[in-house]
Amino acid sequence: MRGEDTMTWINAEYRSPELDWTFRCVAVHIRALFLVFALLVAGASCAQADPQRFHAGIARITVQDVVPFDAVVVYPTGAGEVLFQDGPYTIAASRDAPIATEAPFPIVLFSHGGGETIKAGGSPLPYAALLTSLAREGFVVVAPFHPGSKRPREALEDRPRQIHKALNAMLADPRFATRADPNRLGMMGFSYGGAVALIVAGAVPDLAHLAAYCRDRIDDPRACDGVPTDGSLANVVGKRSPDALAMKALVLMEPWGALFDRNGLTSVDMPTLLYRAEGSDLKAEGNILALAAALPHPPRQETVPGGHFIFVDPCPPAPEADAPAVCRDAPDVDRAAVHRRIEAEIGGFLRRNL
């Protein structure tokens, strides 16, 4: 019997007012359920598509240490952003505005690069666009101006301590104390700051491993310049930093990974987003790719065009004139486009894991 003949027979033999009424009720309920489901999906899609519900606020705090230093706290606010100048950098954020009053926000620590300027220290301001983008998405970002250290080995102890002290100073500040959630803690680091982020996450640096990697190596000067390879580091035993913190997520941008071996990374078991630049002079096989292979859980790996310094914000004229190697890209590299991409990727990764 054909399908339409079957339906005609059913309609003729079994249809009744009570059955029609039942079918109509079921149909109404099904339509209502579909409507509720569609509204829920639409709401979730809107929430995912438009996470930037805040403006960026910014404040400087002074952190007490052996050498006192400043840190910037970049945070969500309802106040409108106003462009202001800090040295050569133009920053879009509301200075000293009140933090937004929603539930406590997750915290992201940041360590800037500057392996070449260990003695002079450095600044997080060349990364301000990335930091403010995270504040607009509901993160409190703490970024110290790392002061100088006498020797590179000392910096491996100094900078994790500075990160820890900057976090504590922010949490002790009455403006932020009840609005930042120390139980939802992540960290980002670029280059030397990537090594600092790993140490703060519990990794143990291995100077003997670094010296062995750099011995007779001329193809990775960014990782190896200045590293003694005369055997003086052969018996140095690494130890876990007393300033290691309970991290829930890491973002590492072109990190100095040759400092670590597999055994020193066993505690770094949190979700990790690992960036590599295609044209970098930091040799990927000994740093980024070696880390990816050695971490206890495979990280999410992303590759971007450009050189090592592609993660620094597009430069204003004065820094570009002073540091062209940091600021200038190959003609086919669009640094602004790379930053739009990484801001979205990093924000999404941290939202999922903090």
Side-chain angles (χ1 to χ4, degrees):
M1 185 180 292
R2 292 180 302 172
E4 58 268 34
D5 293 336
T6 304
M7 290 307 300
T8 302
W9 181 80
I10 290 174
N11 289 339
E13 298 296 325
Y14 289 98
R15 191 169 60 197
S16 68
E18 292 82 2
L19 191 58
D20 284 347
W21 180 85
T22 301
F23 284 155
R24 285 196 297 273
C25 286
V26 170
V28 168
H29 283 85
I30 289 173
R31 284 195 296 271
L33 287 172
F34 272 117
L35 178 60
V36 170
F37 178 74
L39 290 172
L40 288 172
V41 169
S45 299
C46 290
Q48 292 175 358
D50 188 22
Q52 295 193 354
R53 298 179 293 115
F54 305 101
H55 297 299
I58 191 169
R60 277 208 194 206
I61 59 175
T62 298
V63 182
Q64 298 303 319
D65 196 13
V66 178
V67 176
F69 61 92
D70 281 357
V72 288
V73 182
V74 193
Y75 53 90
T77 182
E81 296 175 2
V82 179
L83 292 175
F84 71 94
Q85 206 70 22
D86 195 325
Y89 301 103
T90 302
I91 300 172
S94 181
R95 284 187 287 186
D96 298 313
I99 189 169
T101 57
E102 279 78 355
F105 299 104
I107 301 168
V108 179
L109 307 173
F110 178 71
S111 183
H112 58 71
E116 305 92 339
T117 58
I118 291 297
K119 291 185 178 181
S123 168
L125 296 183
Y127 314 88
L130 173 59
L131 308 188
T132 53
S133 76
L134 291 175
R136 295 182 193 108
E137 295 197 27
F139 298 97
V140 175
V141 185
V142 182
F145 293 76
H146 288 300
S149 298
K150 293 180 181 178
R151 295 185 302 163
R153 284 179 61 178
E154 292 179 6
L156 294 176
E157 298 178 0
D158 292 344
R159 292 194 177 190
R161 184 185 69 251
Q162 292 155 8
I163 289 286
H164 196 174
K165 285 183 174 287
L167 170 65
N168 288 344
M170 183 277 293
L171 290 171
D173 191 308
R175 293 173 293 179
F176 309 114
T178 62
R179 296 296 173 192
D181 185 353
N183 295 313
R184 297 162 66 197
L185 185 64
M187 186 163 178
M188 302 188 301
F190 165 65
S191 192
Y192 195 95
V196 173
L198 283 162
I199 292 170
V200 176
V204 177
D206 189 333
L207 292 172
H209 173 78
L210 174 65
Y213 170 76
C214 292
R215 188 173 298 118
D216 300 323
R217 184 178 293 277
I218 60 173
D219 62 348
D220 198 2
R222 187 162 296 283
C224 293
D225 273 2
V227 174
T229 59
D230 57 0
S232 59
L233 299 178
N235 297 317
V236 176
V237 178
K239 60 181 181 180
R240 181 182 170 93
S241 171
D243 295 293
L245 300 168
M247 294 288 171
K248 294 190 179 298
L250 280 183
V251 178
L252 307 174
M253 297 171 282
E254 279 277 300
W256 183 35
L259 183 62
F260 307 92
D261 70 357
R262 184 180 297 273
N263 292 333
L265 294 167
T266 54
S267 296
V268 186
D269 58 356
M270 66 289 298
T272 300
L273 173 56
L274 183 59
Y275 278 101
R276 175 171 72 91
E278 290 176 339
S280 177
D281 58 348
L282 181 70
K283 192 172 180 64
E285 290 78 5
N287 293 275
I288 296 91
L289 298 180
L291 276 177
L295 286 168
H297 298 295
R300 173 181 166 186
Q301 297 184 62
E302 295 290 345
T303 303
V304 298
H308 182 67
F309 293 104
I310 192 69
F311 298 96
V312 175
D313 289 347
C315 295
E320 182 172 357
D322 292 340
V326 172
C327 295
R328 293 177 185 167
D329 303 303
D332 60 341
V333 175
D334 183 344
R335 188 176 295 205
V338 171
H339 276 253
R340 287 192 295 271
R341 171 188 155 186
I342 67 171
E343 287 171 12
E345 290 173 348
I346 292 171
F349 174 81
L350 292 173
R351 282 197 308 274
R352 288 189 296 274
N353 291 291
L354 294 183

